[in-house]
Amino acid sequence: MTSPAEVRCMLMRGGTSKGAYFLADDLPTEESVRDELLLRVMGSPDPRQIDGLGGAHPLTSKVAVVSPSADSEADVDYLFLQVAVDRAEVSDRQNCGNLLAGVGPFAVERGLVPAGTDETSVRVRMVNSGDFATATFPTPGGRVDYSGDTEISGVPGRAAAVVIEFPPGRDELLPTGNVRDTVGGIEVTCVDNGMPTVLIPAEALKITGQEDPKDLESNRELTARLHDIRLAAGHLMGLGDVDGTTVPKLTLVSAPRHGGAVTTRTFIPDRVHTSIGVLGAASVAAGLRIEGSVAHGIAALPDEGDRLRIEHPSGFTDIESSIDRTPEGGLRARRTAVVRTARKIFDGIVFPVPRTGGH
């Protein structure tokens, strides 16, 4: 399939991110051709992405590619692609739990999954990692209903709840095999509960962890140090050379200020998330539960129940998280569930920047 001059596309907000959703059949099958097309769709490389759908930020320069799944455990496959803003790069090195919130509704909208009369559950295989999730959302009368009373921090107004539940983890939570590792002269905890994440005590970096994201981004000494920590942690976590990729995420943790379990600031990798990703929150929550982790002693854990409130720059994310031991004595996630919202913004045709067009 050659690169088309126009493509069917649905723009959706999923959680606290926004992205372009495509059926796999509507895109070129050859990866290099597909990626070149998506750069033109999103308007990259350009700091403002002025000639495309992108919103000049990693959280609004995302793509979901959805197709029927051949896996008996899933209804659809979801491939997440991060389109860089200011460089010609498309990465499939990570999942996105925020765009995941829109995958189920999109699958129903495109006829990949039949809608239930009241609500619909869509089983999703996340192609990037091979992990699974089930998204449940309202479909009264057999149509997706995006309106509702659920509020999530980082998104104005209210919308219908999308409950995303992840099956018990099959892999160990600690990819290095250690509860703590020393990286760049400080102790960290490397955890992966759907998103490779490095937990770092903010005070170890001589900051409070309460700073505004822009102030953290402009702290060149801090960002240079975090860059080195991320590269070293990537090797320890078995990810290889992570230079030029967005994983692992680095999450700075400090004591909660508003009644939650912990305060977070997450680098993705150079910009600071204005909230926190769903899978990133899942990894942080699991890390809080691990006795001896760098976050365990900082966190204010509830006396009972699985629900944890993760504080972030624009509010909080509630996530239910519990862990247990593997038969071999390691640690794995027993339950992870989160409530998000999603909304269809437009459904139509996108016209990519012509190859011969100039800026």
Side-chain angles (χ1 to χ4, degrees):
M1 180 179 179
T2 58
S3 185
E6 56 185 62
V7 192
R8 185 166 61 152
C9 172
M10 186 179 291
L11 188 69
M12 301 186 74
R13 176 186 61 76
T16 54
S17 293
K18 184 166 60 178
Y21 288 66
F22 298 92
L23 288 177
D25 285 346
D26 290 333
L27 294 173
T29 54
E30 186 177 338
E31 286 187 16
S32 61
V33 179
R34 178 201 67 196
D35 292 352
E36 189 270 342
L37 170 67
L38 292 176
L39 288 167
R40 292 187 287 120
V41 165
M42 302 306 285
S44 298
D46 172 37
R48 294 188 298 157
Q49 293 181 314
I50 195 66
D51 219 8
L53 294 180
H57 193 282
L59 299 182
T60 55
S61 187
K62 298 184 172 188
V63 168
V65 182
V66 182
S67 58
S69 182
D71 194 304
S72 61
E73 296 184 39
D75 300 307
V76 297
D77 284 350
Y78 154 51
L79 172 67
F80 169 67
L81 298 172
Q82 179 71 60
V83 180
V85 174
D86 54 1
R87 61 187 185 276
E89 180 180 290
V90 178
S91 173
D92 64 357
R93 293 284 298 272
Q94 68 170 82
N95 285 320
C96 177
N98 273 303
L99 283 202
L100 174 61
V103 170
F106 176 77
V108 170
E109 296 265 15
R110 285 288 187 262
L112 299 184
V113 177
T117 55
D118 295 312
E119 68 176 22
T120 302
S121 293
V122 176
R123 301 171 305 157
V124 182
R125 183 175 77 97
M126 293 174 277
V127 175
N128 305 70
S129 64
D131 293 324
F132 294 84
T134 298
T136 302
F137 48 93
T139 52
R143 295 176 62 89
V144 180
D145 186 358
Y146 297 96
S147 62
D149 296 323
T150 299
E151 297 180 88
I152 61 173
S153 296
V155 177
R158 302 178 179 183
V162 180
V163 179
I164 302 173
E165 184 144 7
F166 303 92
R170 291 179 287 191
D171 297 323
E172 290 200 8
L173 289 171
L174 299 170
T176 70
N178 304 316
V179 173
R180 294 190 180 209
D181 291 283
T182 299
V183 183
I186 62 175
E187 287 193 321
V188 306
T189 293
C190 301
V191 60
D192 187 351
N193 187 22
M195 178 65 69
T197 302
V198 183
L199 303 180
I200 306 172
E203 66 176 10
L205 297 167
K206 296 182 171 34
I207 59 175
T208 67
Q210 308 294 318
E211 290 83 357
D212 184 270
K214 291 183 179 178
D215 293 335
L216 292 174
E217 292 172 358
S218 63
N219 185 335
R220 298 306 178 194
E221 181 180 349
L222 173 66
T223 56
R225 188 174 185 189
L226 289 175
H227 175 75
D228 293 340
I229 289 173
R230 199 175 73 85
L231 294 184
H235 284 290
L236 286 177
M237 298 173 78
L239 300 172
D241 183 1
V242 298
D243 193 19
T245 73
T246 58
V247 289
K249 307 297 188 191
L250 304 182
T251 296
L252 314 186
V253 293
S254 59
R257 297 298 191 275
H258 305 289
V262 73
T263 296
T264 62
R265 295 292 187 268
T266 300
F267 283 76
I268 55 171
D270 304 313
R271 304 291 295 271
V272 177
H273 207 308
T274 54
S275 55
I276 191 170
V278 171
L279 296 173
S283 290
V284 170
L288 300 185
R289 296 287 190 189
I290 299 172
E291 188 171 351
S293 77
V294 297
H296 184 80
I298 293 172
L301 297 175
D303 293 332
E304 58 184 23
D306 293 341
R307 180 163 296 185
L308 297 173
R309 175 160 290 184
I310 309 297
E311 297 179 8
H312 53 67
S314 56
F316 61 85
T317 294
D318 285 336
I319 189 160
E320 297 189 2
S321 175
S322 60
I323 64 175
D324 62 12
R325 291 274 177 188
T326 67
E328 297 75 25
L331 294 169
R332 65 183 175 190
R334 183 170 69 239
R335 182 169 187 270
T336 306
V338 65
V339 175
R340 306 306 280 161
T341 65
R343 193 177 78 82
K344 177 172 64 173
I345 298 172
F346 83 68
D347 186 7
I349 302 296
V350 61
F351 298 88
V353 177
R355 276 205 191 91
T356 57
H359 293 275

